[in-house]
Amino acid sequence: MNGRFKASGGTVGGGLLVAGTTSDAGKSVVTAGICRWLVRQGVRVAPFKAQNMSLNSFVTREGAEIGRAQAMQAAAARVEPTALMNPVLLKPGSDRSSQVVLLGKPVGELSAKGYHDGRQEQLLGTVTDCLAELRRTHDAVICEGAGSPAEINLRRTDIVNMGLARAARIPAVVVGDIDRGGVFASFFGTTALLSKEDQALVAGYLVNKFRGDVTLLEPGLDMLRGLTGRRTLGVLPFSHGLGIDEEDGLRVSLRGAVRESVVAPPHGAEVLRVAVCAVPLMSNFTDVDALAAEPGVVVRFVDRAEELADADLVVLPGTRGTVRALAWLRERGLADAIARRAAEGRPVLGICGGYQMLGERIEDDIESKAGVVDGLGLLPVRVRFAAEKTLARPVGEALGEPVTGYEIHHGVAEVTGGDEAFMSDGQGRGLDGCRTGSVWGTHWHGSLESDGFRRAFLRRVAADAGRAFVPAPDTGFAALREEQLDRLGDLIEEHADTGALLRLIEEGVPEGLPFVPPGAP
């Protein structure tokens, strides 16, 4: 296998674009699955997404902010994530504007119209340079598209779908979610709406989330090939509980469990119920995945005050709009319910923006430009928003256990009291956050993925909540994540035409792919 791919001596490695008929068709999981399958074959592979719109982000070792989905895909490829893998990240701040993060650093706020009216086209050179560097240093690069390549209103400025494929001369496969219905029409329509030049790069299709007997699907796949001249390169079955990092949206019911995860029986006598407030512009909600992975911990997202009544722990997650989220909590009566919990000694945890909301006041002339706003007053913390964003990968200790995390925030917290710092350097000096009674706050995302600390924290929560809950002694979040990534690789290996995928990656765009009328105007 190693002999088939060449990335040394200046030779450019292979490439493939994983596009989709819609957002949430499965591009992220298919990209991760192909990366994991390839690396198991001994191929040096890297993920890439030219432009990502997401509130779920991650900080690389060099201090660059990228989409969490690309960090997950890098883990699938067993490589360290870098800013090259996601050169453009858009973080929505409202329905009309987003913060633009370029090569891992914020460069300003732009309206959607302003971005598509010129800024996006200017970034194509940066995007192709990043892809070229990854192809120079890896055997293969698996690129993820965004939304649909058939968004003809945006094609002129596209740098992430067929615009990227055209610039880099790489083939594309289109993923369709059959669980939504209409997958054949979606495949045909997506292809037929592309220009002749773009269609020439679309090499085949992948069906995602199929339930049932695949032989019943085969007549339709044969007809699709007759209509488009393109094969379906795999039918991936529906798989429960993959739990990989989401990118564009929160794929959970606000009153349901986290994704489709199955709650394991408790290790102790009782379960522990966690309610996560689904605040507007919620970011890095993956922070609670490690809680959901614990046997006997039931995690749900809530948006009503009465849903906090039976919760043993309430979590205020991160948000791209701290002041807006505060107003939302107050409008819905959640702020009062959280204050009552704190007064009763019942546990509350704030992470990043949630930590800031728990403080006494927020001075924000950057994000919301609201000036000074009263916080919930549950922690002795004053927050001032700085123009420069903090991006860091801190290491420390909490509750006697080692902790790692990552920071992504404009708010600078001044702690004026409290019972103790939350995160320390292990020698008595506080690094971040604080605790007052049963209310905890920290800027550190990802801290709950540290197994020893998570178990120690849950023991404290159970004691404060009066629950006979005992954390399982052997839950390893990193190992669980590896198992999930291997499952994605298995889906590709067992249900896709891997020989055809290898030929596309290695040999490039097939010749003679037919044009499907009418094509883009």
Side-chain angles (χ1 to χ4, degrees), residues 326-373:
L326 254 178
W328 182 86
L329 290 174
R330 288 176 168 133
E331 289 166 3
R332 290 176 171 258
L334 286 159
D336 289 339
I338 292 168
R340 286 194 296 272
R341 288 183 60 87
E344 295 165 0
R346 301 170 68 194
V348 177
L349 170 65
I351 302 174
C352 199
Y355 168 40
Q356 296 167 8
M357 287 187 276
L358 290 172
E360 297 169 348
R361 74 178 191 191
I362 297 169
E363 183 181 341
D364 181 12
D365 295 318
I366 304 297
E367 190 175 78
S368 68
K369 298 180 172 60
V372 178
V373 177

Side-chain angles (χ1 to χ4, degrees), residues 267-268 294-295 454-456 458-459 462 469-475:
H267 187 71
E294 282 284 347
R454 182 180 65 255
R455 287 192 278 269
L458 289 176
R459 283 192 290 269
F469 168 85
V470 179
D474 55 356
T475 303

Side-chain angles (χ1 to χ4, degrees), residues 36 71 75 91 120-121 131 140 187 235 353 402 409 417 481:
R36 176 48 60 100
K91 303 194 71 174
Q120 190 175 30
E121 279 184 296
L131 176 56
F187 283 143
V235 178
H409 53 92
R481 177 53 52 88

Side-chain angles (χ1 to χ4, degrees), residues 213-499:
D213 185 350
V214 72
T215 61
L216 299 176
L217 196 64
E218 288 171 353
L221 301 179
D222 291 340
M223 285 186 275
L224 181 67
R225 184 174 185 180
L227 288 166
T228 67
R230 291 157 174 85
R231 291 180 52 222
T232 298
L233 305 179
V235 178
L236 309 182
F238 191 99
S239 183
H240 287 277
L242 289 174
I244 61 116
D245 295 353
E246 299 292 354
E247 168 191 281
D248 296 323
L250 179 59
R251 197 193 307 170
V252 297
S253 163
L254 290 181
R255 298 177 182 86
V258 175
R259 301 181 183 84
E260 294 153 349
S261 59
V262 177
V263 178
H267 187 71
E270 292 184 297
V271 299
L272 201 69
R273 295 174 176 84
V274 179
V276 185
C277 294
V279 297
L281 298 174
M282 180 165 46
S283 62
N284 288 70
F285 51 81
T286 48
D287 281 333
V288 299
D289 283 358
L291 295 179
E294 282 284 347
V297 176
V298 182
V299 179
R300 59 187 177 177
F301 288 82
V302 304
D303 60 356
R304 298 187 309 212
E306 56 269 29
E307 293 176 301
L308 304 186
D310 66 344
D312 302 306
L313 170 67
V314 170
V315 177
L316 287 179
T319 172
R320 173 81 166 88
T322 304
V323 171
R324 176 178 169 183
L326 254 178
W328 182 86
L329 290 174
R330 288 176 168 133
E331 289 166 3
R332 290 176 171 258
L334 286 159
D336 289 339
I338 292 168
R340 286 194 296 272
R341 288 183 60 87
E344 295 165 0
R346 301 170 68 194
V348 177
L349 170 65
I351 302 174
C352 199
Y355 168 40
Q356 296 167 8
M357 287 187 276
L358 290 172
E360 297 169 348
R361 74 178 191 191
I362 297 169
E363 183 181 341
D364 181 12
D365 295 318
I366 304 297
E367 190 175 78
S368 68
K369 298 180 172 60
V372 178
V373 177
D374 288 337
L376 297 179
L378 302 180
L379 287 176
V381 175
R382 297 176 181 178
V383 176
R384 178 185 55 81
F385 274 63
E388 185 173 348
K389 181 185 285 191
T390 296
L391 296 169
R393 289 273 293 269
V395 175
E397 181 181 291
L399 301 180
E401 298 287 347
V403 184
T404 62
Y406 57 99
E407 294 184 67
I408 307 170
H409 53 92
H410 282 280
V412 178
E414 178 191 0
V415 179
T416 60
D419 297 329
E420 62 179 305
F422 200 166
M423 308 298 173
S424 73
D425 64 358
Q427 298 178 7
R429 290 186 292 270
L431 296 177
D432 176 79
C434 68
R435 176 184 70 85
T436 296
S438 60
V439 180
W440 306 74
T442 177
H443 272 128
W444 291 17
H445 293 291
S447 61
L448 292 167
E449 295 178 16
S450 299
D451 297 330
F453 162 67
R454 182 180 65 255
R455 287 192 278 269
F457 178 68
L458 289 176
R459 283 192 290 269
R460 290 286 293 268
V461 167
D464 288 347
R467 290 286 183 189
F469 168 85
V470 179
D474 55 356
T475 303
F477 186 76
L480 290 173
R481 177 53 52 88
E482 274 295 298
E483 290 175 13
Q484 292 168 332
L485 294 174
D486 274 330
R487 288 177 61 193
L488 294 180
D490 293 342
L491 286 176
I492 297 299
E493 184 169 357
E494 297 168 10
H495 301 283
D497 186 340
T498 54

Side-chain angles (χ1 to χ4, degrees), residues 188 191-194 199 205 227-230 514-519:
F188 181 85
T191 308
L193 275 177
L194 300 179
Q199 284 192 28
Y205 310 111
L227 288 166
T228 67
R230 291 157 174 85
F515 173 68
V516 180

